[in-house]
Amino acid sequence: MDLFGADDNVKNEMAALQKQVERHNKLYHEKDTPEISDGEYDALFHKLKKLEEEHPHLKDKNSPTNKVGGGVKNTFLSVPHKLPMLSLGNCFSKEDVQDFMTRISRFLSVEKFTPLVAEPKIDGISCSIRYEDGHLVQALTRGDGQVGEDITANVKTISNVPHKLKGENVPSVIEVRGEIYMNDNDFALLNEKQADKGSKIFANSRNATAGTIRQLDVAIVASRPLKFFAYAFGDASDDVQFSTHALELETMHAWGFHVVEEAVVLNSLEEIMDNYQNMHKKRVSLGYPIDGIVYKVNEIALQKRLGFIARSPRWAIAHKFPAEQVTTLLEGIDVQVGRTGTITPVARLVPVAVGGVIVSNATLHNADYIAGRDIRIGDTVFVERAGDVIPKVVSVVEAKRPPNAKPFNFPTLCPSCEHALVREEGEAAFKCINHLTCPAQQREQMAHAISKNVLNIDGLGPKQIDVFIEQGFIKDWADIFYLKNFKNEMLELKGFKEKSVENILASVEKAKHITLPRFITALGIEMVGVQVAVLLAEEFETFDGLKKAATHVDNLTSIDGIGGVIAQNICELFAYEDNLKLLQKLFDAGVEPQVYVKPKAVDSLLSGKVCVLTGTLLTMGRSEAKERILQLGGKVSSSVSSKTDFVIAGDAAGSKLKKAQELGVAVLTEDEFSSLV
């Protein structure tokens, strides 16, 4: 067999393909004279890439499939935006859209309908790309809206981002803003490759995009199928003048950008709602991820008159799609034991795609939820990702109920320790009260303690905790601070390298010097989160002070914000000998909760204000956000009322945001909130 001859043939084919791809790259990006279509170019590119994957030993280090080259490393420098990258307000119903239009008409003092451009809202990562004299010079993430991160090298690997703008009317300076994303098929193929390599499987395309665009190694970015949709202009030289947003989109397309073909100009509320319903139906067949529709006033002069509210434009809004529902078969019901002993039933489902994610488990909340909906094993059920985040079983398709569908009998014993379950009067949940020796509760308590918002131990997560429990290194969360005694044994475990083990142990050492609020939070006392922990720290300043006060409930209920139930939970911590032994074990390991020094009064927008958090915060945990509000002199509430000053709305904000809008409560986006803290 002529192996060397076969290699020569493949090498020659790869060389020929490489030459063609490089030629067409130059024609497209530098000479503005493409000779083949994008589809034909993609076919050549992927043929070369496939051969390189099959014959890696023959790959040329200068191959155009690397685009930028594997040796480049990003540093992600912070760079101020020339013009802020604004966020949009959200609306969820026809009435919300009507309110938006009414506000525009009232502001402009006009009665006729103001035409809007409707564009699918791409579910990706925002980016601003700057061109000078037609050449790509810089690309920034949205960041906090004021300052972004320089991801220029990574963006240059995106195949449909032009390095040089086409056409005759290219301005001297223009920032083109848009969304980085992955096509549905490309995302599926990426996950298949990840699975084949034993690498991380991404939950959805947005997560994959976010994880890719901030990779330090440009070669990794180049290997991922990122795309870019342009949707707006940012900073621009004086020679950029357009009468309508529709014309802006046409011009971006002429310059070489991909813009969404589904963008349309609409002239009435009826047209808006018809388009909304059509796009919602087409959502799954578009081939790219969207989570709503963006409406923008079409006339640029009117946009300028309307201006901005805080850091959101008056002339644009995002109309979000409702949570997606699908039907699937409920094959069984398991129960999980939470950190505080709460028993939560979980539906085991035939896997189904919901909102772009494959779901095989969904919450059933509690026994009353199951009984009230008569949910049975074997039923066909509606599953929803509420806010496109948390899967839950909504209801049963009774017409499809089989004769052998089985009602679920809620257990009477804890599935982890077999202790009897209790249900206190007025409570919906059953609980295991064997807090100290229930393995499931101890495991969840460990996961709670090591989390980012508590001990924040880098490199140590629930998966590592499970391994250490199985190996016998830890039995309770105090044992985390004795892990250094098992360093050699850790190094013998699969996946634990010298550097990763040293990183864990160094982070554990750092966590010994913990702030008092975080230490109190780490104890896992029921109903004592960051907000209550800060109140206790402000009152007692030291852990010994708290311990002395916790001899009687009255010493705690005198603190504004701490009621009888919370006070009783705190007192019970110090009433049990096993808890005291655990605390002493922590102190013997060198854990030293710091003396709390109340932050100096600051003159901030949140001082004295009542804040409500809603939705999923992407840049920080909910506990961290609460702690920062309190440090800035604000107060945190769980519900929206007329007394609420600010609602901080994260991703997939729901009813609280709606109520805030109804009451006229000021709404801060996550970016706006981050800029304050």
Side-chain angles (χ1 to χ4, degrees):
M1 184 179 293
D2 185 7
L3 294 176
F4 294 102
D7 264 5
D8 286 342
N9 290 337
V10 173
K11 190 173 183 178
N12 290 337
E13 185 179 5
M14 289 169 66
L17 283 168
Q18 180 172 329
K19 189 174 181 179
Q20 289 182 69
V21 171
E22 287 172 341
R23 177 175 179 272
H24 290 297
N25 268 337
K26 190 170 185 178
L27 288 171
Y28 182 85
H29 292 297
E30 297 179 19
K31 296 189 176 182
D32 195 25
T33 55
E35 295 178 353
I36 60 175
S37 69
D38 289 350
E40 290 170 317
Y41 172 84
D42 288 341
L44 288 173
F45 185 91
H46 288 295
K47 186 176 182 180
L48 172 60
K49 190 173 182 180
K50 187 172 186 293
L51 284 173
E52 290 175 344
E53 290 172 350
E54 293 173 348
H55 307 278
H57 60 294
L58 299 178
K59 181 176 179 179
D60 185 340
K61 65 179 181 180
N62 296 316
S63 170
T65 59
N66 291 336
K67 198 71 178 278
V68 177
V72 178
K73 297 291 181 180
N74 288 317
T75 55
F76 299 127
L77 297 175
S78 295
V79 179
H81 291 291
K82 300 292 183 181
L83 289 178
M85 287 193 74
L86 302 172
S87 55
L88 296 178
N90 293 328
C91 63
F92 301 91
S93 66
K94 181 178 181 179
E95 290 75 18
D96 292 340
V97 178
Q98 179 66 73
D99 290 344
F100 170 64
M101 294 308 308
T102 300
R103 291 195 298 270
I104 288 174
S105 298
R106 187 183 298 126
F107 189 93
L108 297 175
S109 298
V110 297
E111 293 184 1
K112 66 178 182 178
F113 188 93
T114 303
L116 303 177
V117 175
E119 305 170 51
K121 184 177 180 294
I122 311 302
D123 192 14
I125 304 300
S126 298
C127 177
S128 182
I129 308 176
R130 186 177 182 86
Y131 291 82
E132 294 179 1
D133 296 324
H135 294 273
L136 193 163
V137 296
Q138 189 177 64
L140 303 178
T141 62
R142 179 194 293 274
D144 64 2
Q146 301 294 326
V147 177
E149 290 182 311
D150 190 328
I151 54 170
T152 307
N154 285 352
V155 167
K156 284 184 174 180
T157 72
I158 300 175
S159 62
N160 70 340
V161 170
H163 291 206
K164 181 177 182 294
L165 301 183
K166 298 191 293 185
E168 300 294 331
N169 61 337
V170 174
S172 56
V173 175
I174 189 69
E175 283 181 1
V176 177
R177 292 176 171 179
E179 206 81 1
I180 302 170
Y181 70 103
M182 288 187 189
N183 282 328
D184 296 344
N185 290 338
D186 288 338
F187 170 66
L189 289 173
L190 172 63
N191 261 349
E192 288 180 14
K193 290 181 179 178
Q194 293 289 101
D196 291 342
K197 295 186 296 184
S199 300
K200 174 185 176 182
I201 302 298
F202 296 103
N204 54 56
S205 62
R206 189 182 190 282
N207 286 359
T209 301
T212 298
I213 201 60
R214 297 191 77 257
Q215 286 284 336
L216 295 176
D217 190 338
V218 177
I220 294 176
V221 185
S223 72
R224 303 269 179 86
L226 297 179
K227 293 287 190 295
F228 180 82
F229 269 133
Y231 60 61
F233 291 143
D235 185 43
S237 50
D238 293 338
D239 51 346
V240 179
Q241 300 289 337
F242 295 96
S243 59
T244 66
H245 179 58
L247 185 57
E248 289 179 335
L249 292 174
E250 291 176 13
T251 303
M252 284 187 273
H253 184 257
W255 286 343
F257 289 97
H258 287 194
V259 296
V260 288
E261 295 179 358
E262 290 76 16
V264 292
V265 178
L266 303 174
N267 296 289
S268 69
L269 182 61
E270 288 69 30
E271 287 184 10
I272 286 175
M273 295 312 300
D274 285 346
N275 179 72
Y276 177 83
Q277 297 299 335
N278 289 336
M279 288 303 300
H280 189 225
K281 292 176 183 176
K282 290 173 60 178
R283 179 183 186 182
V284 296
S285 61
L286 288 173
Y288 55 87
I290 67 172
D291 58 0
I293 299 175
V294 174
Y295 304 130
K296 301 174 185 175
V297 170
N298 189 31
E299 192 173 332
I300 302 301
L302 294 183
Q303 289 186 10
K304 292 178 179 178
R305 282 179 57 190
L306 286 161
F308 309 97
I309 304 170
R311 285 168 35 184
S312 296
R314 281 194 182 91
W315 45 267
I317 199 167
H319 192 176
K320 301 296 286 291
F321 289 138
E324 187 174 342
Q325 285 189 1
V326 298
T327 60
T328 189
L329 189 66
L330 192 156
E331 294 184 308
I333 298 176
D334 299 327
V335 291
Q336 296 179 346
V337 186
R339 176 173 56 85
T340 60
T342 298
I343 308 297
T344 302
V346 177
R348 286 191 289 104
L349 308 167
V350 171
V352 62
V354 189
V357 174
I358 301 299
V359 170
S360 56
N361 297 296
T363 183
L364 290 165
H365 297 293
N366 53 55
D368 289 345
Y369 189 89
I370 296 172
R373 290 161 179 76
D374 190 22
I375 298 171
R376 305 182 187 184
I377 298 169
D379 275 337
T380 297
V381 294
F382 282 101
V383 180
E384 173 182 290
R385 289 184 67 225
D388 276 355
V389 177
I390 304 169
K392 67 177 180 180
V393 173
V394 179
S395 60
V396 171
V397 185
E398 293 188 9
K400 293 186 177 181
R401 171 169 287 166
N404 60 345
K406 298 179 182 178
F408 178 66
N409 296 316
F410 212 87
T412 57
L413 300 178
C414 173
S416 178
C417 66
E418 297 189 346
H419 193 283
L421 300 180
V422 299
R423 186 181 190 183
E424 296 181 7
E425 187 176 350
E427 294 290 328
F430 283 90
K431 287 188 175 182
C432 170
I433 58 173
N434 182 26
H435 303 306
L436 299 177
T437 60
C438 177
Q441 290 184 61
Q442 285 301 309
R443 189 267 182 196
E444 293 303 313
Q445 169 58 20
M446 292 180 206
H448 163 73
I450 64 173
S451 65
K452 179 180 178 181
N453 297 318
V454 188
L455 296 178
N456 190 23
I457 298 178
D458 190 30
L460 187 58
K463 290 183 180 179
Q464 289 78 20
I465 286 292
D466 289 339
V467 172
F468 294 164
I469 291 173
E470 183 181 346
Q471 294 295 321
F473 300 166
I474 54 177
K475 293 182 179 178
D476 55 51
W477 72 278
D479 285 332
I480 292 168
F481 293 97
Y482 294 85
L483 279 173
K484 63 183 179 182
N485 298 332
F486 296 95
K487 180 178 179 179
N488 292 334
E489 290 87 342
M490 290 165 67
L491 289 170
E492 294 177 1
L493 298 174
K494 183 179 179 180
F496 288 84
K497 306 294 185 182
E498 181 84 27
K499 187 175 181 180
S500 63
V501 171
E502 289 180 355
N503 184 43
I504 291 171
L505 296 180
S507 191
V508 168
E509 285 299 309
K510 183 180 178 182
K512 290 180 179 179
H513 304 286
I514 187 173
T515 66
L516 183 56
R518 286 189 178 228
F519 182 73
I520 295 170
T521 305
L523 297 174
I525 306 169
E526 189 168 6
M527 300 177 69
V528 177
V530 171
Q531 187 174 351
V532 173
V534 170
L535 293 176
L536 294 170
E538 288 179 342
E539 180 72 19
F540 302 112
E541 296 183 352
T542 67
F543 189 71
D544 282 341
L546 171 61
K547 182 179 178 182
K548 290 175 182 176
T551 55
H552 201 283
V553 169
D554 292 345
N555 296 335
L556 302 174
T557 54
S558 60
I559 303 171
D560 186 27
I562 295 182
V565 176
I566 294 176
Q568 185 62 45
N569 292 342
I570 296 168
C571 290
E572 286 181 357
L573 172 77
F574 299 100
Y576 291 99
E577 186 66 26
D578 286 341
N579 287 340
L580 296 176
K581 288 180 179 178
L582 182 67
L583 288 169
Q584 190 58 51
K585 187 176 178 180
L586 287 164
F587 300 144
D588 289 343
V591 177
E592 295 180 359
Q594 305 299 293
V595 175
Y596 184 75
V597 178
K598 188 174 181 179
K600 294 180 180 180
V602 292
D603 184 18
S604 80
L605 181 66
L606 302 184
S607 296
K609 304 298 184 181
V610 177
C611 302
V612 173
L613 294 159
T614 183
T616 302
L617 300 180
L618 302 177
T619 60
M620 68 182 77
R622 183 70 64 94
S623 296
E624 183 181 356
K626 289 181 179 179
E627 187 172 358
R628 293 189 183 186
I629 291 169
L630 295 168
Q631 289 174 346
L632 288 171
K635 299 178 181 179
V636 182
S637 175
S638 60
S639 58
V640 178
S641 70
S642 58
K643 295 181 180 180
T644 304
D645 295 295
F646 293 106
V647 167
I648 296 147
D651 194 38
S655 59
K656 291 180 183 178
L657 176 59
K658 171 70 173 175
K659 188 169 184 181
Q661 292 169 335
E662 291 173 352
L663 295 174
V665 174
V667 176
L668 298 177
T669 66
E670 183 174 357
D671 288 342
E672 291 167 340
F673 173 64
S674 296
S675 70
L676 296 175
V677 300

